[in-house]
Amino acid sequence: MSNPLISVIIPAYSHECYVQEAIRSVIDQTYPNIELIVIDDGSKDRTFQKIKEMAPECEKRFVRFLYQTQENQGTCITLNRLVALAKGKYIAWIASDDKYTPNALSDMFQIVEEDASIGLVVGKNFIMDSTGKQCYWDENRNIVYDKHIAKWTSFSECLMELTKTDFNSNKFGTYQKLLRSNHIPNGFLIRKNVLDKIGPFTREAPLEDHWMMLQIAKYAKMKYIDKPTFYYRWHATNTVKQNKKMVDMEKKTFEYEEKCVQNTKFEKTFYAVKYRKKTYLNFGFLKIYRQHDLNQKSKILELFGKKIILKRKKK
């Protein structure tokens, strides 16, 4: 099996204490053919200086190493720049405060390279604290270090339970499930030709990872592998801890997704259905049909596996 180029992209912002550990985890990958692209998004601390310190080692390790800084533009604009600069067949996206396990890219590459229908693959996410030490969560997502008293021993396990998603089923990464909640762990590997189809990230959809997953689900399958590939850092400034901000971001993201749906020119296998002023999509989970029996005939809308009678007429 050949080793096509994988582009690892890092949008970095005010993570001077963590960014070198993130970069180090890319350097330590067993997968050989990697380019690393890092953009510092106008950090308020010494993040860019920390990136620059790693330049000699990165230039030696990677086939291409590019690092830039800019005035603060936000994650969406930064990601668009990173994707535009990437030359790889696959793109791996890592936050500047997280890190990979050494075999992460090799393990994920084997899966996606063997099946062209898979657009994204992701593995098991462990949790680490602000110092980089592995930890676990109690029922309130507070850090504990005793595995035996923990509610969740990994971020993946927490996502599976809270979103009621079997990661090993064919429901993982489907549009149907993603409409309800984003259950995709971090540290994913994406096929670039799928990412190119979905268009640029936008501030109108501020939950950029959730919006991206919804778009990818329209074109390709997603796959979870039960192998440790990633460490998700839990610290004082995680965005997910800001509840009001997260609710507002989710609302804006879904409002934008509704606009995307209404403006989509669907392929023959996809179609839109209007029902009670809402648009629903046929991505393998919606059907509309007529049902006949001895006593009556009904027009049925089947959405998410549930049958809704639109019209019933007795014979």
Side-chain angles (χ1 to χ4, degrees), residues 19-78:
V19 67
Q20 289 192 342
E21 193 173 357
I23 293 173
R24 169 65 55 192
S25 75
V26 186
I27 291 173
D28 291 341
Q29 287 302 297
T30 58
Y31 189 87
N33 194 17
I34 302 171
E35 68 171 4
L36 176 62
I37 308 170
V38 189
I39 294 181
D40 169 61
D41 186 28
S43 293
K44 299 177 181 178
D45 60 10
R46 297 179 65 251
T47 294
F48 185 65
Q49 287 81 354
K50 291 293 184 179
I51 297 167
K52 193 173 182 179
E53 288 173 10
M54 302 288 288
E57 193 171 358
C58 288
E59 288 167 355
K60 183 178 179 180
R61 164 64 176 90
F62 303 117
V63 298
R64 178 175 176 240
F65 174 55
L66 183 62
Y67 63 102
Q68 301 176 354
T69 188
Q70 63 185 23
E71 292 185 4
N72 184 256
Q73 300 289 318
T75 304
C76 293
I77 303 302
T78 305

Side-chain angles (χ1 to χ4, degrees), residues 149-162:
I149 65 171
K151 170 71 172 177
W152 296 297
T153 60
S154 70
F155 182 44
S156 305
E157 182 183 330
C158 175
L159 283 174
M160 276 190 267
E161 182 172 336
L162 293 182

Side-chain angles (χ1 to χ4, degrees), residues 93-191:
W93 163 10
I94 175 175
S96 54
D97 55 345
D98 297 330
K99 69 178 183 179
Y100 290 115
T101 62
N103 292 322
L105 295 184
S106 293
D107 288 341
M108 292 189 290
F109 163 75
Q110 289 180 7
I111 300 299
V112 73
E113 182 74 355
E114 292 174 357
D115 188 344
S117 68
I118 295 174
L120 178 148
V121 62
V122 67
K124 186 174 184 178
N125 283 202
F126 288 132
I127 310 164
M128 62 179 172
D129 64 14
S130 60
T131 69
K133 182 179 179 180
Q134 185 172 350
C135 57
Y136 316 104
W137 277 339
D138 67 12
E139 64 275 9
N140 297 313
R141 290 190 294 181
N142 295 314
I143 288 176
V144 296
Y145 294 97
D146 185 346
K147 189 174 183 178
H148 298 95
I149 65 171
K151 170 71 172 177
W152 296 297
T153 60
S154 70
F155 182 44
S156 305
E157 182 183 330
C158 175
L159 283 174
M160 276 190 267
E161 182 172 336
L162 293 182
T163 65
K164 297 180 174 61
T165 304
D166 180 357
F167 281 17
N168 297 309
S169 73
N170 58 11
K171 292 183 179 180
F172 178 80
T174 61
Y175 191 87
Q176 169 189 352
K177 291 293 293 185
L178 286 163
L179 276 177
R180 299 175 182 179
S181 59
N182 185 13
H183 56 273
I184 310 299
N186 299 305
F188 31 78
L189 183 68
I190 309 169
R191 195 180 295 275

Side-chain angles (χ1 to χ4, degrees), residues 216-270:
I216 292 175
K218 297 172 184 177
Y219 299 100
K221 295 189 298 185
M222 301 186 201
K223 178 73 174 179
Y224 174 78
I225 56 172
D226 194 21
K227 291 183 178 181
T229 60
F230 205 74
Y231 281 89
Y232 173 54
R233 194 184 299 272
W234 194 243
H235 55 83
T237 58
N238 290 99
T239 304
V240 72
K241 292 183 178 181
Q242 303 174 43
N243 293 332
K244 186 178 183 302
K245 182 177 181 180
M246 288 296 294
V247 170
D248 183 57
M249 291 170 70
E250 182 178 56
K251 181 176 182 292
K252 289 180 179 178
T253 299
F254 275 94
E255 286 175 351
Y256 182 72
E257 172 61 5
E258 187 171 351
K259 291 179 184 178
C260 292
V261 167
Q262 292 172 352
N263 294 328
T264 298
K265 292 182 179 179
F266 299 104
E267 298 176 16
K268 288 184 179 180
T269 54
F270 297 159

